[in-house]
Amino acid sequence: VSDTFVRLDPRRLWRSEPRITRSGHVLMLGLGTAGRQVLHWLVEHKHDVVVIDEDASVVADLERRGIAAIQADGSNPESLVRAQARDADTVLCLLPRMDDAERVLVHLRGSNARTIVRVFESDDAARVERFGGVPVVTAETGADRFCTWFAENRENFAAHS
């Protein structure tokens, strides 16, 4: 019986699905409250967006709205490959744990994807910069201000990729 549940676990099912074929897209890792606002802005401004999130209901809702979504761990290299993270224009890492963000940054090292990482502490911001990402400290930037910041500074952080 437990083997049946493991096989039916939706987090495992994505592995059998075909890879998303895209390049030049914005890849969002994790959604959450702030991520929803950022996603709304990106879609409103006609960006091609792919979202990786662990929550099945979030993924189902995004798919109903015509937004490409993968139910998976956003820091897992297999899910990053499936979402073609290395071919993305921008990766927005909204994952809550810094260790997960570091795994993403390591995976993207050497790619042209610009990687923006939400962090909660200034020490984490320094870690993100050491790995070549662009940190955004949430205490300094709310979701609405983040969208404005993203639009105004997108080209300025190209050197960080």
Side-chain angles (χ1 to χ4, degrees), residues 47-69:
H47 290 274
D48 182 23
V49 181
V50 176
V51 177
I52 298 177
D53 196 280
E54 290 182 319
D55 188 326
S57 63
V58 168
V59 170
D61 177 58
L62 293 172
E63 289 175 340
R64 275 191 299 276
R65 294 171 44 204
I67 298 168

Side-chain angles (χ1 to χ4, degrees), residues 5-149:
F5 288 116
V6 169
R7 279 183 273 132
L8 295 177
D9 182 348
R11 288 173 294 192
R12 298 181 185 279
L13 293 177
W14 67 264
R15 291 184 179 141
S16 64
E17 296 175 6
R19 190 165 124 169
I20 290 178
T21 52
R22 283 194 159 80
S23 64
H25 55 294
V26 175
L27 175 60
M28 295 183 69
L29 307 176
L31 205 53
T33 304
R36 289 179 194 279
Q37 292 177 23
V38 172
L39 176 64
H40 176 77
W41 183 91
L42 290 168
V43 170
E44 186 176 279
H45 288 84
K46 310 291 186 221
H47 290 274
D48 182 23
V49 181
V50 176
V51 177
I52 298 177
D53 196 280
E54 290 182 319
D55 188 326
S57 63
V58 168
V59 170
D61 177 58
L62 293 172
E63 289 175 340
R64 275 191 299 276
R65 294 171 44 204
I67 298 168
I70 300 169
Q71 183 185 356
D73 172 357
S75 69
N76 182 307
E78 291 177 31
S79 59
L80 293 169
V81 167
R82 177 152 183 266
Q84 294 193 258
R86 295 181 63 80
D87 296 323
D89 175 66
T90 304
V91 176
L92 301 175
C93 183
L94 305 172
L95 302 172
R97 296 178 352 143
M98 187 61 213
D99 291 343
D100 292 339
E102 280 187 11
R103 277 194 288 283
V104 170
L105 289 163
V106 166
H107 178 82
L108 294 173
R109 195 176 278 158
S111 75
N112 290 326
R114 295 175 272 207
T115 308
I116 302 169
V117 180
R118 176 189 63 185
V119 296
F120 301 100
E121 309 275 335
S122 57
D123 290 346
D124 290 340
R127 286 170 67 184
V128 168
E129 288 175 340
R130 280 195 302 274
F131 280 90
V134 178
V136 175
V137 181
T138 58
E140 298 170 5
T141 307
D144 56 339
R145 289 182 52 209
F146 177 82
C147 291
T148 302
W149 177 90

